[in-house]
Amino acid sequence: DFEIVAVDDGSTDGSGELLHALCVREPRMRVLRRPHLGLVAALNAGLSECRAPFIARMDADDLCHPDRLGAELDLLQARSDLGLVGCLAEAVATDGGPAPDGMVRYVAWSNRLVTAEDIARERFVESPVIHPTVLARREVLAGADGYRDCGWPEDYDLWLRLFATGVRLAKVPRVLLSWRDHASRATRTQDAYREGRLRELKVHHLLAGPLAGGRPVIFWGAGVEGKPLMRMLVAAGRRIPFVVETDLRKVGNVIHGATVIGVTDLPGALRDLPGALVLAAVAVPSARDEIRAALVTQGLAEGLAFLFVC
């Protein structure tokens, strides 16, 4: 009781012929052959051909566990509040060796985010759902008008647009996908997946969502990740009066027009800026936990009064 829509985006390696041969013995498969127009166009073309009420996403080079679709469908059917689900994944290399450290760290972080609350809480850190693990309700994807080609990661852009409309995302807490790394992956080769593009995406969605209406900003952390985000927000016309630092030697300095304050100065800064949103930019998970504890102790609610952005 399913269909397979295989999108051949102008391949020249025999993939189209292989797919057509498979169709002879698999009547549930349909092949959509198109000139090469890129990933976003291929995704939207595939979506337009799908007829079922639930749509799963799969890349050509990953490995799907036999239980994945059934487990994800069970979760969606049991939880009417969810619009999209994924699963946990493992990072593997196509050459039989270990996956790159960065990919392993990202997968480990993503695998810790299982509940809808977990995923929403850290949605601005990185893309919280691994794209080829996804099963979604058709009406949810249609309501978002599918994928957009904005020059940044199309999947992360879709998740943040869904969050903005109140769609909830969760995961089956099992490793049901082997996510394969190789040198020609789009993440490694295409401009849309560079760090700078990822920051542009975050700033766009922050300004359209949590920071809409000119909401005041206080930054926590002005390191390698924090400073570029600060510069982008300032360039977009957003004033950031304060930056919180745990290193007391930096207190009193000025970074991109923002005065550096200590942790104990934060309550006063919040009083001076009613309704301010604290954006915390730290890449180390243990530091993130310490900052979260410090902000919660001051009575701030994550997702409402503060957000992690890396």
Side-chain angles (χ1 to χ4, degrees):
D1 186 20
F2 67 91
E3 63 179 357
I4 303 170
V5 177
V7 182
D8 179 3
D9 186 43
S11 68
T12 57
D13 61 355
S15 295
E17 291 74 18
L18 176 60
L19 288 171
H20 278 290
L22 290 171
C23 287
V24 173
R25 65 176 188 264
E26 178 48 83
R28 293 167 296 187
M29 176 183 283
R30 289 182 289 123
V31 180
L32 181 61
R33 299 195 74 169
R34 299 161 39 84
H36 176 62
L37 296 174
L39 178 57
V40 174
L43 288 169
N44 285 326
L47 281 178
S48 69
E49 290 289 318
C50 292
R51 299 169 297 194
F54 302 99
I55 299 176
R57 166 79 174 88
M58 187 73 192
D59 278 317
D61 50 356
D62 298 323
L63 300 175
C64 183
H65 190 284
D67 290 344
R68 177 197 152 202
L69 298 180
E72 292 178 343
L73 183 60
D74 286 345
L75 180 57
L76 267 184
Q77 291 182 319
R79 295 277 303 277
S80 61
D81 62 307
L82 298 177
L84 180 152
V85 301
C87 64
L88 310 190
E90 62 175 349
V92 298
T94 53
D95 61 4
D101 289 344
M103 185 178 184
V104 171
R105 286 194 300 272
Y106 167 70
V107 169
W109 167 78
S110 175
N111 283 350
R112 289 194 294 270
L113 308 177
V114 174
T115 68
E117 292 73 22
D118 290 338
I119 294 170
R121 184 187 69 234
E122 300 203 14
R123 66 190 185 277
F124 281 104
V125 173
E126 240 281 23
S127 177
V129 180
I130 294 173
H131 199 189
T133 70
V134 160
L135 178 71
R137 299 183 193 276
R138 179 187 179 87
E139 66 267 22
V140 166
L141 297 179
D145 294 326
Y147 297 88
R148 301 191 306 185
D149 191 351
C150 298
W152 53 49
E154 76 294 328
D155 51 347
Y156 194 10
D157 175 70
L158 177 58
W159 312 154
L160 291 177
R161 286 188 287 127
L162 292 178
F163 281 120
T165 60
V167 174
R168 288 164 58 85
L169 288 60
K171 295 176 188 171
V172 175
R174 294 173 57 193
V175 175
L176 298 174
L177 183 97
S178 294
W179 198 30
R180 306 211 304 185
D181 178 74
H182 51 85
S184 59
R185 285 179 65 215
T187 306
R188 290 175 171 270
T189 60
Q190 295 185 14
D191 181 71
Y193 305 99
R194 290 190 298 106
E195 282 295 322
R197 297 296 189 188
L198 189 65
R199 295 187 189 106
E200 290 173 7
L201 182 154
K202 289 182 184 182
V203 168
H204 171 84
H205 284 281
L206 284 166
L207 293 173
L211 295 179
R215 188 176 183 183
V217 182
I218 296 175
F219 230 79
W220 186 319
V224 174
E225 287 297 324
K227 282 183 179 178
L229 283 169
M230 283 185 64
R231 285 196 294 268
M232 287 184 177
L233 285 167
V234 171
R238 186 53 52 92
R239 178 175 170 267
I240 303 174
F242 300 114
V243 174
V244 181
E245 275 287 351
T246 56
D247 187 348
L248 296 180
R249 293 171 299 180
K250 298 180 180 179
V251 172
N253 292 340
V254 176
I255 301 175
H256 298 312
T259 301
V260 178
I261 61 175
V263 177
T264 57
D265 301 317
L266 180 58
L270 289 168
R271 285 193 297 270
D272 293 340
L273 295 169
L277 180 65
V278 178
L279 297 180
V282 290
V284 180
S286 58
R288 200 177 295 143
D289 292 339
E290 293 174 6
I291 292 172
R292 177 178 288 115
L295 291 171
V296 169
T297 299
Q298 295 191 24
L300 302 182
E302 188 166 2
L304 297 176
F306 72 92
L307 282 170
F308 286 94
V309 291
C310 74

